[in-house]
Each structure stands twice: as C-alpha cells, then as structure tokens.
Amino acid sequence: SVDHNSFASLKEVFVKGNKVSLLMKAEGIRLSSLIQDGIINVNIAIISYQIALGLYYLHDSNIVLRSLDPRTILVDEIG
C-alpha cells in the first residue's frame, strides 16, 4: 500500500476474470494536458521536486514504478 501525499489514494479494487480495475481518488489536471495546451504556468521546479520525492518514497518502499509520463502525473493549483 502506498501512503504518500504525492500519490492518488486507492479506494477500491475490482477483479473480473483476468482484468483488474483500480478506483482511485485523484484530483488535478494531467500534466500532458497542460503541456499540450501550452498553458503550463506552474513552477517546473516544484513539479520535478514532487516527482523526485514520490520516486524516492517508492524506491525506499521497494516498489518499482512501471510507467512515468505526463499522462499519469496530475497537477493541482499548487503544482
């Protein structure tokens, strides 16, 4: 279980056959949308720092992150 403020919280897991769906509480706008729309006015240093903290937490918890891209990063009003 991941309990860190840099990650969306897992609410429920659904299993049907060989498919698994995760219901997560997540708030914010996808970083990819901000980049695509050219309206990224948030501090890149803050986003980079938050990503680094999250990766450190995962690594310290012996969890491997499979994919990290702007589609899976949510940005709130703080960054």
Side-chain angles (χ1 to χ4, degrees), residues 31 34-35 39-52 73-79:
L31 181 57
L34 295 176
I35 293 170
I39 56 171
I40 187 159
N41 58 358
V42 294
N43 190 331
I44 297 301
I46 292 173
I47 295 173
S48 300
Y49 179 71
Q50 290 295 326
I51 292 170
I73 298 172
L74 296 177
V75 179
D76 63 13
E77 65 278 353
I78 298 170

Side-chain angles (χ1 to χ4, degrees), residues 55 58 63-69 72:
L55 290 173
L58 291 176
I63 298 172
V64 175
L65 182 64
R66 183 175 170 207
S67 174
L68 178 66
D69 72 46
T72 62

Side-chain angles (χ1 to χ4, degrees), residues 11-60:
K11 296 297 180 186
E12 199 165 342
V13 177
F14 302 95
V15 179
K16 186 172 183 178
N18 64 348
K19 295 185 180 185
V20 177
S21 298
L22 307 175
L23 176 62
M24 305 181 85
K25 179 182 178 188
E27 298 176 15
I29 300 169
R30 288 183 181 182
L31 181 57
S32 61
S33 296
L34 295 176
I35 293 170
Q36 187 177 35
D37 295 343
I39 56 171
I40 187 159
N41 58 358
V42 294
N43 190 331
I44 297 301
I46 292 173
I47 295 173
S48 300
Y49 179 71
Q50 290 295 326
I51 292 170
L53 283 178
L55 290 173
Y56 177 81
Y57 175 82
L58 291 176
H59 176 77
D60 198 47

